[in-house]
Structures are given as C-alpha cells and as structure tokens.
Amino acid sequence: MAASSRAQVLRLYRALLRESQRFDGYNYRTYAIRRVRDAFRENKNIKDSEKIEELVNKAKANLEVIRRQV
C-alpha cells in the first residue's frame, strides 16, 4: 500500500473513532466504536488497491452517516 493511501486510511479511521465518541447514548457509542475497530481489523491485510479504494469510499459514506446522526 502506498504511503499516501495508508495515511488516508489512518486519517479516516481516526475520524470515524472521533465522531463515534460524540454519540450521547452509551450503547450507541460503544457499538459504533466496536464496529469501526472490527471493520478495520478485519480488512487490514487487503493488498488489492481497487478493493482498498472501495472500502475507503464505503467508510467515508459511513462517516457522513455518523456525522448526521450525532
């Protein structure tokens, strides 16, 4: 993975965790954090750049959903 895409993924990961911390309800907050961590952990060994790009786009969409809900 190129350094720039790695940095992009890490920024996205941190942004998702940061936004998930803003949920008021404890159950929503812990669920969102757990889902983010599990998803990134599950896909950490993917090397295919097209698949990585697809997952990054999906994560960006999820970030926008979290921002709307918070």
Side-chain angles (χ1 to χ4, degrees):
M1 180 181 344
S4 63
S5 64
R6 177 177 169 81
Q8 178 187 14
V9 169
L10 289 174
R11 274 194 310 271
L12 188 57
Y13 177 70
R14 284 192 292 265
L16 282 162
L17 287 177
R18 197 175 312 115
E19 288 298 318
S20 296
Q21 288 288 341
R22 296 179 59 205
F23 276 112
D24 288 334
Y26 173 79
N27 289 333
Y28 290 118
R29 187 171 50 246
T30 55
Y31 176 74
I33 292 169
R34 185 175 66 241
R35 291 285 298 166
V36 168
R37 287 181 178 160
D38 288 347
F40 275 80
R41 195 174 296 133
E42 178 182 320
N43 296 315
K44 72 178 183 178
N45 294 323
I46 294 178
K47 304 288 187 225
D48 182 23
S49 61
E50 290 179 13
K51 181 68 173 170
I52 291 171
E53 189 64 32
E54 177 185 324
L55 290 168
V56 165
N57 290 334
K58 184 177 175 185
K60 285 180 183 178
N62 287 335
L63 179 59
E64 290 305 315
V65 168
I66 290 173
R67 284 184 176 153
R68 281 195 308 266
Q69 291 179 348
V70 170

